[in-house]
């Protein structure tokens, strides 16, 4: 079939910004059959596809797009299922622009192929047509415990189940999903329509999920290995411990971590009018930070009726959030106060937030990350009036697992030390991956770590790793 040489992507339908700013329905509406086939026809089907190398879970992207082009959507779903347990999630939240699409040949003289939107199309088609691509493997009699039902844990569990292992996931919360459920807002990742069906597909592989089990308190890693009959353990506990600036006023009423704010709103359904979960947003909210979580918190507060300012100490070029999320935030009316940094949170007589004092910044020489270091401009302080502040400055792992597991090494940031290629830790039969190892990162990188650890566990239990 002839290649479509159209330079730009087929536009994806979206809710109107003025409408979506008032609701929690999904912003991006996705391709229909004709749009998906037209976009798929832009793929050059390269002999050495760089997009596959750019994918942290190594989906055979050229293959599944070819099947879309041929009208074989079931086969496209089969191709994706070989590598990914969560395609409808990845198609929505992966930073494709810096991964698969970032190295797409079509992007040299135009826009890259919309790989993420096509993956979403296939996954949504499979769900809507009741097609389950992945199948469990022949039982091999070995048992593996997975701690945490987030993206790394679900991926590791799914891959092990396909290899024939009996897998049980232990999840601290009352619902599985991790950050997919409590961290990413409904308007970006619908829970009932997308996340829960993807988790159900993992369960269809034979994976058991036990909720309300806090490993380190309810049971320890050593007890799982020595008393419960598990042959190996994977730690995918994420990084849910929020960071703060330690500036004056930060303990005031009306100051939240983005984690708390989003968890209350997402997992406890505070955004719904019929929910009885309290959430105080205020009329004017300042979100401190520039990553995807900051965008999520800002856009959630906007939908709850607030005027929202994002305060970030660098310029727009250095914003770590996805370009698509920044674009959507601007369309919806989020105000960006860039090259500014908080120095104090101001409070009233009842210790409630009434404003935030910020200082203007300028960019100096590059720091260790390669980004230009923000430097304060003396005497440039001013006050932004507000009644809520949401701190979105990153997270670190909860120390509970490392504190209750002898022989498990961590680094100075409290992250579990594990080999990138196979998830192996300092403790025999214990593997780890995702944010618990790297600190807060992306869903797809956590999934990649879960895949690598599944391979490592399989090699270990088959005796290839002594």
């Amino acid at each position: 079939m002839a290649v479509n040489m159209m330079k730009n992507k087929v536009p994806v339908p979206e809710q109107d910004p003025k409408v979506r700013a008032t609701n929690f329905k999904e912003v991006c509406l996705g391709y229909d059959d004709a749009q998906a086939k037209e976009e798929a026809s832009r793929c050059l089907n390269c002999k050495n596809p760089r997009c596959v190398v750019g994918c942290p879970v190594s989906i055979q992207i050229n293959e599944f797009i070819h099947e879309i082009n041929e009208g074989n959507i079931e086969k496209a779903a089969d191709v994706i299922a070989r590598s990914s347990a969560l395609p409808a999630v990845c198609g929505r939240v992966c930073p494709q622009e810096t991964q698969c699409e970032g190295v797409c040949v079509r992007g040299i003289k135009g826009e890259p192929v919309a790989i993420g939107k096509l993956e979403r199309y296939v996954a949504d088609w499979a769900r809507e047509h009741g097609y389950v691509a992945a199948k469990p493997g022949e039982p091999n009699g070995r048992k593996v415990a997975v701690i945490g039902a987030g993206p790394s844990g679900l991926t590791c569990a799914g891959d092990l189940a396909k290899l024939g292992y009996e897998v049980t996931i232990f999840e601290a919360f009352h619902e599985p999903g991790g950050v997919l459920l409590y961290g990413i807002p409904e308007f970006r990742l619908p829970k009932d329509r997308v996340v829960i069906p993807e988790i159900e597909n993992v369960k269809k592989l034979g994976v058991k999920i036990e909720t309300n089990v806090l490993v380190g308190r309810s049971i320890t890693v050593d007890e799982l290995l020595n008393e419960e009959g598990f042959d190996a353990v994977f730690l995918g506990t994420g990084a849910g411990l929020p960071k703060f600036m330690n500036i004056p006023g930060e303990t005031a009423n009306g100051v939240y971590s983005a984690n708390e704010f989003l968890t209350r709103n997402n997992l406890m359904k505070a955004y719904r009018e019929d929910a009885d979960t309290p959430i105080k947003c205020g009329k004017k909210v300042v979100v401190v930070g520039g990553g995807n979580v900051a965008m999520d918190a800002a856009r959630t507060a906007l939908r709850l009726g607030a005027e929202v300012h994002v305060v970030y100490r660098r310029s727009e070029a250095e914003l770590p959030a996805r370009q698509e999320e920044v674009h959507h935030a601007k369309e919806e009316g989020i105000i960006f106060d860039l090259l500014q940094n908080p120095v104090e949170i101001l409070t009233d007589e009842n210790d409630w937030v009434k404003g935030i004092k910020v200082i203007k910044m300028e960019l100096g020489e590059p720091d260790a990350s390669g980004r230009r270091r923000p430097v304060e401009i003396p005497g440039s302080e001013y006050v932004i009036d507000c009644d809520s502040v949401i701190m979105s400055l990153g997270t670190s792992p909860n120390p509970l697992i490392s504190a209750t597991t002898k022989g498990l090494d961590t680094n100075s940031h409290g992250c579990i030390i594990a080999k990138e290629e196979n998830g192996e830790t300092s403790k025999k039969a214990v593997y780890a991956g995702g944010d618990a190892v790297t600190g807060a990162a992306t869903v797809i990188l956590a999934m990649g770590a879960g895949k690598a650890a599944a391979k490592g566990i399989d090699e270990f239990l088959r005796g290839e790793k002594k």
Side-chain angles (χ1 to χ4, degrees):
M1 188 174 287
V3 174
N4 180 347
M5 295 309 294
M6 186 170 68
K7 284 191 174 183
N8 294 332
K9 298 175 181 177
V10 175
V12 183
E14 295 178 346
Q15 273 200 78
D16 179 86
K18 290 181 181 178
V19 175
R20 70 180 190 241
T22 64
N23 67 51
F24 279 84
K25 296 175 184 174
E26 191 168 14
V27 169
C28 179
L29 305 178
Y31 285 142
D32 62 21
D33 295 345
Q35 291 165 335
K37 193 163 185 179
E38 184 180 359
E39 181 60 26
S41 71
R42 296 182 63 236
C43 178
L44 300 174
N45 204 15
C46 306
K47 288 184 178 178
N48 297 304
R50 300 194 297 182
C51 54
V52 177
V53 179
C55 174
V57 296
S58 302
I59 293 172
Q60 296 301 304
I61 293 165
N62 56 324
E63 286 187 35
F64 93 74
I65 292 179
H66 171 74
E67 297 298 352
I68 296 174
N69 209 3
E70 295 294 316
N72 302 324
I73 313 305
E74 285 189 6
K75 288 185 178 179
D78 291 341
V79 172
I80 296 172
R82 296 202 303 258
S83 304
S84 176
L86 305 168
V89 169
C90 291
R92 286 166 165 84
V93 304
C94 272
Q96 289 98 1
E97 65 272 14
T98 59
Q99 295 174 166
C100 53
E101 293 181 19
V103 293
C104 174
V105 173
R106 288 303 303 263
I108 296 171
K109 293 185 177 180
E111 290 184 339
V113 175
I115 297 167
K117 298 297 188 287
L118 291 174
E119 180 183 17
R120 167 189 166 149
Y121 164 76
V122 172
D124 287 356
W125 183 95
R127 182 184 67 251
E128 289 160 9
H129 288 79
Y131 183 70
V132 180
K135 304 292 187 292
E138 190 69 29
N140 61 21
R142 312 303 293 272
K143 288 174 61 179
V144 179
V146 171
I147 316 304
S152 63
L154 290 167
T155 299
C156 184
D159 276 19
L160 288 169
K162 286 187 280 187
L163 292 169
Y165 291 92
E166 182 185 333
V167 185
T168 302
I169 300 177
F170 297 95
E171 167 57 43
F173 277 5
H174 64 286
E175 296 283 352
V179 70
L180 307 176
L181 204 67
Y182 64 75
I184 302 174
E186 182 76 9
F187 55 82
R188 217 156 60 83
L189 187 61
K191 309 302 177 258
D192 292 342
R193 192 164 60 83
V194 175
V195 177
I196 292 172
E198 299 254 273
I199 294 170
E200 287 300 315
N201 283 342
V202 173
K203 290 165 72 173
K204 286 173 184 173
L205 294 170
V207 174
K208 300 176 203 163
I209 302 180
E210 293 190 20
T211 56
N212 298 309
V213 180
L214 182 60
V215 174
R217 285 286 181 268
S218 307
I219 194 168
T220 66
V221 170
D222 286 311
E223 286 170 344
L224 288 169
L225 289 169
N226 301 328
E227 298 175 22
E228 297 299 323
F230 287 98
D231 299 295
V233 173
F234 173 72
L235 304 175
T237 47
L241 196 64
K243 296 178 182 177
F244 290 91
M245 294 185 71
N246 297 317
I247 58 175
E250 205 168 20
T251 59
N253 298 317
V255 178
Y256 306 94
S257 71
N259 270 38
E260 177 193 356
F261 182 73
L262 290 169
T263 299
R264 188 179 289 271
N265 199 66
N266 295 333
L267 186 64
M268 303 176 75
K269 305 287 191 277
Y271 62 87
R272 284 174 28 178
E273 290 184 7
D274 61 343
D276 57 6
T277 304
I279 184 163
K280 187 180 187 301
C281 186
K283 293 180 180 178
K284 190 172 179 180
V285 175
V286 169
V287 177
V288 180
N292 288 325
V293 176
M295 297 306 114
D296 286 344
R299 296 172 68 198
T300 296
L302 180 84
R303 283 160 172 76
L304 294 173
E307 175 188 315
V308 184
H309 291 244
V310 170
V311 170
Y312 180 61
R313 62 184 184 150
R314 287 183 163 99
S315 71
E316 183 168 347
E318 286 81 29
L319 277 170
R322 290 185 67 194
Q323 295 171 2
E324 183 178 39
E325 304 310 319
V326 175
H327 170 69
H328 282 158
K330 286 182 174 180
E331 280 188 328
E332 292 165 6
I334 304 292
I335 299 160
F336 285 77
D337 296 323
L338 303 174
L339 285 168
Q340 297 170 45
N341 205 36
V343 292
E344 182 181 0
I345 295 171
L346 309 176
T347 59
D348 63 18
E349 62 276 8
N350 296 314
D351 200 32
W352 279 95
V353 172
K354 70 174 185 180
I356 185 167
K357 183 186 288 186
V358 301
I359 188 167
K360 294 180 180 179
M361 314 288 283
E362 58 186 359
L363 295 179
E365 295 300 312
D367 61 14
S369 71
R371 297 183 298 174
R372 293 174 64 191
R373 186 187 302 276
V375 180
E376 294 183 353
I377 300 174
S380 64
E381 296 93 339
Y382 73 101
V383 174
I384 301 173
D385 294 327
C386 63
D387 44 21
S388 293
V389 174
I390 300 172
M391 291 292 185
S392 182
L393 306 167
T395 54
S396 58
N398 188 309
L400 181 60
I401 290 280
S402 55
T404 57
T405 308
K406 290 180 181 177
L408 185 67
D409 291 346
T410 58
N411 64 19
S412 59
H413 300 289
C415 297
I416 299 166
I417 297 172
K419 293 180 180 177
E420 186 177 347
E421 65 272 18
N422 63 4
E424 186 179 1
T425 72
S426 58
K427 187 175 178 69
K428 185 180 179 182
V430 176
Y431 291 71
D435 291 4
V437 171
T438 60
T442 62
V443 167
I444 190 66
L445 289 176
M447 290 176 63
K451 281 189 78 66
K455 186 172 182 288
I457 290 169
D458 181 50
E459 289 173 351
F460 167 69
L461 293 179
R462 284 193 293 112
E464 293 179 15
K465 191 76 175 175
K466 301 294 184 185

